[in-house]
Amino acid sequence: MADKTSLKPTRRRFIQAGVASSAALLSSTTMAQETTLIPGRGPGRRVIDTGYYGVPSEFAKTQRMKGNRGPGLVGGSLTPLHELEGMVTPAGLHFEVHHSGVPDIDPAEHKLLVHGLVDDAKIFTMEDLMRFPKVSRFHFLECAGNGMGEWMSPRGQTAQQTHGLTSCSQWTGVPLKVILNELGLRGDAKWLLAEGDDGARMTRSIPLWKAMDDAILAYKQNGEWLRAEQGFPLRLLVPGFEGNMNVKWLRRLEVGDKPWWTHHENTEYADPRPDDMIRAFSFYMECRSVITSPSGGMTLDGPGYYEISGLAWSGTGTITKVEVSTDNGGSWQEAQLEAPVLPRCHTRFRMPWTWDGKETIIMSRSTDDTGAVQPTYEEMYKIQGPIGMMHNTAIQNWKIAQTGEITNDRS
Amino acid sequence: MTVHKTKLVKFVSTCALAGLLIGCSEADTGAEPEAAMAQEMPAEAAAPDMKYGFGTSVGADIIAQYDGDIHIDGTGLPSGSGNVALGREIYEIQCAICHGENLEGVREMGAQTMHEGRRDIKKLPYAESLFDFVRRSMPLTDPGTLSNDETYGLVAFLLVETGVMEDPELTLDADSLKAINMPNRDKFIIDPASGFTAEELEGK
């Protein structure tokens, strides 16, 4: 046993500690305490055991914001976009919304039934599904209600609060069309019903053309198993479509000839319009962007150089251009898009900027390869009417005061 | 997840075959390397019509254990019936704690009014969808426990309370529920980007 009072290890003690730690990996965790004999560099610096699954340093406080309604079964969390970089969201910070709690499912017990207008109805275990050809693709996922609180007036203080219901991951699974081909589709097949295994058995109707295009039955996220709140062990991924359609804890797919008009498509995620009209089947999350740095809640440290950076995404295609205005929309400059720039995926943009110390408003405007341009609030009201709630894609203003303080302000 | 050794060998040879096919198709078409950047689906390139034989074929008995949804043409509506009185009784015991004594919604419980706005019962396109959702998802803390009779009764109660149906002693079963035409049905706009028209989605 090494001398615990000595801060300066000898070569011999290092070897002893090394042996102890190797042994600890192989046998018991009690011996792992021996490794704490190796001091950090400099007086008082600790070394830590990072365990079998790495977690952020205790000094890194980046977290989701959580909210719940009622008895705690309806709720979700917002991604801290303003504290993240690049285009990928860490799985543990990916936003989530649940309507009937997050179930705890054993993948060994989980099965997927696919039936309806098919030649051969089949039930699949997870082991079955994972034997099919796989694809891994980067896609954003956004709740249709992302920014619904912002419709009438600015409310959220940070980009997390205004835009935190979008995240981006690399998803791995079997293309849905491989499974449907396996079963054989009947001629009248046009829609699918996707059903989750949460308490409410949440359902959404999915058009068959999407299922046969780029939909994935996903079981891995950023290389590892889906997180429980992302649908472990199996979720539907319909890239670019509103988050709610990407049904989690997927237990059943029924092929039909008409949509089911389920609760979540006729009420919860339908879009009220003027004159009591209701827009339904608005699948796409459209072209949108937000500056994440500098953004609401931050304070600039005096005039000088700052990098303006943010995210752009479009459910209808690939981002082709992001323009940034630093003078309240008076003039626009094209930002640099950072590779990779992928379809239906978060795209990071950057633009150098020198702040002169005067009060101003900064904003970004994205364009995708279908020609769709992100609207202003005024333009969006014209399209959707001011009573809308879902599918808020409007340009986000960040007001910078002379003090450097940044707020969410449209004036 | 364990994979039996012989299965693994078979799986590897499937992959090898797929790889061979991808190789061939690239050689034949002279595919540009950019294709890889566009997140193409290799499975499609490999064998669009390949049958892999994984999974277990199932018959009507197994499907019935999993399937409980109601189609808008009434397919799936169960036998049984329930009237407004039964519905009111169940509502007071199971629903009022969140939805309020008079369907007004209890804000602290996260429930909105069912008389107007986004949860307005009158605005629903199909009574079948209402039956499906109540039986599938309610009550929130104990979903899937309502009997078919109780669900018919609750739907009858909700439709009378919100003025969709007039008869205060309404009894619903599969046939009478199917016959209901919801008043807001033609106020739904179908987003053209969905690839469908309103006519195509007309249910009845």
Side-chain angles (χ1 to χ4, degrees):
Chain A
M1 181 72 60
D3 179 358
K4 286 180 184 176
T5 58
S6 170
L7 280 173
K8 196 172 180 184
T10 64
R11 183 177 165 77
R12 184 177 149 77
R13 284 196 191 109
F14 249 120
I15 292 165
Q16 281 176 337
V19 169
S21 64
S22 305
L25 281 173
L26 293 170
S27 58
S28 78
T29 50
T30 53
M31 289 187 75
Q33 288 172 359
E34 297 292 329
T35 60
T36 60
L37 291 176
I38 305 170
R41 185 169 174 132
R45 179 97 64 93
R46 297 190 305 143
V47 294
I48 51 176
D49 178 359
T50 58
Y52 295 98
Y53 192 98
V55 295
S57 158
E58 66 173 275
F59 299 108
K61 303 288 189 192
T62 306
Q63 289 188 332
R64 296 188 291 205
M65 286 180 77
K66 289 182 74 169
N68 267 300
R69 284 193 285 147
L73 291 166
V74 183
S77 52
L78 297 144
T79 296
L81 295 176
H82 60 308
E83 295 181 13
L84 298 179
E85 261 300 342
M87 60 180 246
V88 171
T89 311
L93 296 175
H94 196 291
F95 93 88
E96 61 105 4
V97 175
H98 53 267
H99 296 89
S100 189
V102 174
D104 187 20
I105 296 173
D106 177 356
E109 301 292 324
H110 190 74
K111 292 187 176 79
L112 172 72
L113 171 68
V114 189
H115 69 112
L117 302 178
V118 295
D119 298 331
D120 184 17
K122 274 190 167 184
I123 197 160
F124 299 96
T125 63
M126 286 307 300
E127 197 171 335
D128 292 332
L129 290 171
M130 293 173 75
R131 287 191 63 194
F132 284 100
K134 299 169 170 65
V135 289
S136 295
R137 312 216 308 175
F138 289 94
H139 286 299
F140 80 90
L141 197 59
E142 183 181 21
C143 178
N146 194 18
M148 65 192 275
E150 300 289 308
W151 264 94
M152 296 315 294
S153 59
R155 283 166 63 187
Q157 292 170 2
T158 67
Q160 180 170 25
Q161 289 163 330
T162 59
H163 290 74
L165 292 178
T166 185
S167 304
C168 184
S169 286
Q170 188 190 39
W171 307 94
T172 300
V174 50
L176 181 48
K177 65 184 161 193
V178 170
I179 300 295
L180 294 175
N181 179 66
E182 182 78 15
L183 272 53
L185 288 168
R186 303 225 309 245
D188 44 352
K190 270 191 184 155
W191 287 84
L192 272 90
L193 182 76
E195 180 179 77
D197 205 6
D198 51 344
R201 293 260 162 94
M202 206 211 77
T203 47
R204 284 296 300 256
S205 304
I206 312 292
L208 186 67
W209 63 258
K210 182 65 172 177
M212 296 302 285
D213 182 17
D214 60 354
I216 299 170
L217 301 183
Y219 40 77
K220 297 283 176 93
Q221 177 185 13
N222 296 338
E224 62 179 350
W225 276 111
L226 294 175
R227 294 293 168 92
E229 68 271 32
Q230 296 304 329
F232 177 78
L234 187 70
R235 85 175 304 165
L236 177 64
L237 198 81
V238 277
F241 279 15
E242 60 185 22
N244 184 248
M245 299 178 76
N246 297 258
V247 175
K248 300 188 278 192
W249 315 291
L250 190 69
R251 72 186 290 270
R252 190 168 69 90
L253 289 168
E254 180 173 348
V255 182
D257 61 349
K258 285 195 166 60
W260 277 253
W261 290 89
T262 72
H263 171 76
H264 281 267
E265 60 212 31
N266 67 33
T267 305
E268 194 100 19
Y269 291 92
D271 311 318
R273 288 288 181 273
D275 304 320
D276 279 344
M277 302 299 279
I278 300 172
R279 185 178 73 157
F281 302 111
S282 46
F283 303 142
Y284 286 105
M285 297 309 298
E286 288 154 321
C287 193
R288 195 173 185 185
S289 71
V290 62
I291 293 172
T292 54
S293 179
S295 62
M298 299 176 184
T299 303
L300 298 185
D301 188 20
Y305 171 83
Y306 294 92
E307 181 185 78
I308 291 177
S309 165
L311 291 169
W313 61 96
S314 170
T316 56
T318 307
I319 293 295
T320 52
K321 185 167 71 171
V322 177
E323 297 156 291
V324 170
S325 173
T326 58
D327 58 0
N328 197 15
S331 63
W332 296 86
Q333 269 182 281
E334 202 165 326
Q336 189 184 356
L337 304 184
E338 190 167 78
V341 179
L342 299 170
R344 302 181 174 98
C345 186
H346 277 182
T347 298
R348 174 65 57 179
F349 64 87
R350 300 182 190 282
M351 196 187 85
W353 178 51
T354 302
W355 184 44
D356 59 10
K358 290 178 188 155
E359 180 181 300
T360 190
I361 287 177
I362 62 172
M363 60 186 80
S364 62
R365 176 172 73 190
S366 55
T367 303
D368 74 14
D369 61 353
T370 69
V373 181
Q374 187 180 7
T376 62
Y377 268 96
E378 278 178 8
E379 287 163 344
M380 198 178 64
Y381 288 157
K382 277 183 205 157
I383 304 165
Q384 306 213 34
I387 59 166
M389 290 178 86
M390 302 290 171
H391 297 270
N392 176 359
T393 58
I395 289 170
Q396 172 68 41
N397 291 7
W398 297 121
K399 183 174 189 173
I400 302 175
Q402 277 194 343
T403 58
E405 200 182 342
I406 306 175
T407 52
N408 181 11
D409 193 332
R410 278 182 220 158
S411 57
Chain B
M1 188 140 305
T2 55
V3 178
H4 195 271
K5 203 172 179 181
T6 52
K7 280 185 183 171
L8 195 64
V9 171
K10 195 172 148 197
F11 177 59
V12 168
S13 55
T14 309
C15 289
L17 180 65
L20 208 62
L21 287 166
I22 293 169
C24 288
S25 69
E26 275 180 359
D28 291 344
T29 60
E32 296 294 321
E34 282 81 1
M37 286 296 288
Q39 302 198 83
E40 291 296 330
M41 289 223 175
E44 182 186 40
D49 296 319
M50 177 150 171
K51 304 270 186 188
Y52 297 87
F54 308 142
T56 307
S57 296
V58 290
D61 52 334
I62 300 288
I63 293 171
Q65 290 171 23
Y66 274 73
D67 179 12
D69 63 68
I70 317 294
H71 298 231
I72 51 174
D73 64 2
T75 304
L77 280 170
S79 57
S81 69
N83 60 18
V84 173
L86 173 65
R88 177 173 286 116
E89 189 188 328
I90 299 299
Y91 183 87
E92 283 168 2
I93 299 166
Q94 298 266 38
C95 319
I97 187 169
C98 292
H99 292 285
E101 290 298 319
N102 301 300
L103 283 62
E104 76 276 17
V106 179
R107 198 181 160 81
E108 305 79 63
M109 301 304 280
Q112 299 172 32
T113 175
M114 291 190 271
H115 289 292
E116 58 181 20
R118 298 183 69 231
R119 299 291 188 279
D120 190 341
I121 296 282
K122 296 187 292 298
K123 288 186 180 167
L124 294 176
Y126 296 102
E128 287 88 346
S129 302
L130 178 59
F131 184 98
D132 178 85
F133 181 66
V134 171
R135 191 176 68 157
R136 156 187 310 281
S137 303
M138 290 290 129
L140 182 65
T141 51
D142 206 5
T145 55
L146 294 168
S147 72
N148 294 331
D149 290 352
E150 289 168 342
T151 311
Y152 278 119
L154 275 168
V155 171
F157 168 73
L158 292 172
L159 293 177
V160 169
E161 284 292 302
T162 54
V164 175
M165 303 293 280
E166 286 177 4
D167 178 6
E169 289 171 22
L170 177 70
T171 298
L172 287 179
D173 59 11
D175 286 337
S176 51
L177 190 144
K178 229 188 294 189
I180 297 171
N181 281 311
M182 294 297 282
N184 211 47
R185 176 65 197 97
D186 57 3
K187 292 248 179 181
F188 279 81
I189 309 161
I190 306 302
D191 183 357
S194 69
F196 295 91
T197 64
E199 291 71 33
E200 281 177 304
L201 302 188
E202 198 54 53
K204 296 182 182 180

